[in-house]
Amino acid sequence: MDKQMTTIRPILEKEVPMSILLHADPSEKCIDQYLPGSKCFGAFVDDSLAGVCVANTNEAGVWEIFNIAVIPEKQKQGIGKRLLDFVLRYFENIGEKSIELGTGTFGYQLLFYQRFGFRVESIRKNFFVDHYSDPIYEDGVQPATQGHAQVTPQF
């Protein structure tokens, strides 16, 4: 079996395709709010963009990961893990003491982030109901409480 070469590097926000971002955030309106001025990172498999991560400062002036997504045909191959590891090291190397992200209150996404040392700091109830016009589903199930877990890693 051929080993695919994966490289991760910073990219310009104009290089980030909306089609990839929509895999993690179904709202172009929300994406349009956090993408301008963001630090963006791309995961390339054999020179083809397979995943992206977008971070920007939030309302409190803290760096927050707003979107991390891998195209479906490249998921479950460790690309997201390598991408998040790169991004966390990037921010640690530039002297950031913490970085936040928001995710659903249950499911594989929360577990994914917890493996990196992220811990739930707070939960904003009805976040997805209040901020998205269409219902959010995970694995075909709409959570009873549409919570938003604010998580931070332990650098």
Side-chain angles (χ1 to χ4, degrees):
M1 177 165 73
D2 289 339
K3 269 281 205 197
Q4 295 178 331
M5 171 91 164
T6 302
T7 57
I8 300 169
R9 62 176 172 81
I11 60 175
L12 300 173
E13 79 184 55
K14 68 181 180 181
E15 295 178 86
V16 180
M18 182 66 71
S19 61
I20 294 179
L21 295 174
L22 288 169
H23 289 294
D25 185 338
S27 171
E28 283 191 40
K29 180 181 174 188
C30 288
I31 293 169
D32 287 341
Q33 290 176 347
Y34 60 72
L35 187 57
S38 290
K39 288 200 182 292
C40 303
F41 305 87
F44 295 83
V45 175
D46 296 332
D47 296 324
S48 179
L49 188 61
V52 295
C53 182
V54 174
N56 206 336
T57 52
N58 61 23
E59 295 161 354
V62 176
W63 281 103
E64 180 174 346
I65 294 173
F66 282 91
N67 193 310
I68 183 168
V70 175
I71 59 174
E73 56 270 20
K74 296 293 183 184
Q75 291 177 0
K76 300 191 186 317
Q77 298 177 25
I79 296 167
K81 181 179 184 285
R82 290 192 296 276
L83 182 57
L84 182 57
D85 185 60
F86 181 94
V87 170
L88 293 177
R89 288 180 191 269
Y90 172 88
F91 282 103
E92 187 175 20
N93 288 338
I94 65 168
E96 292 300 320
K97 301 295 183 212
S98 69
I99 189 165
E100 297 179 349
L101 63 85
T103 189
T105 56
F106 79 100
Y108 72 91
Q109 294 98 337
L110 182 57
L111 182 58
F112 174 76
Y113 298 122
Q114 288 176 327
R115 287 185 185 129
F116 280 87
F118 283 89
R119 297 295 175 251
V120 175
E121 296 289 327
S122 65
I123 295 176
R124 295 193 303 191
K125 291 186 180 195
N126 297 320
F127 177 86
F128 297 107
V129 171
D130 295 342
H131 292 86
Y132 290 82
S133 57
D134 294 324
I136 303 290
Y137 291 89
E138 183 175 320
D139 294 328
V141 176
Q142 184 179 22
T145 59
Q146 293 275 322
H148 178 268
Q150 194 69 30
V151 294
T152 56
Q154 311 301 309
F155 281 138

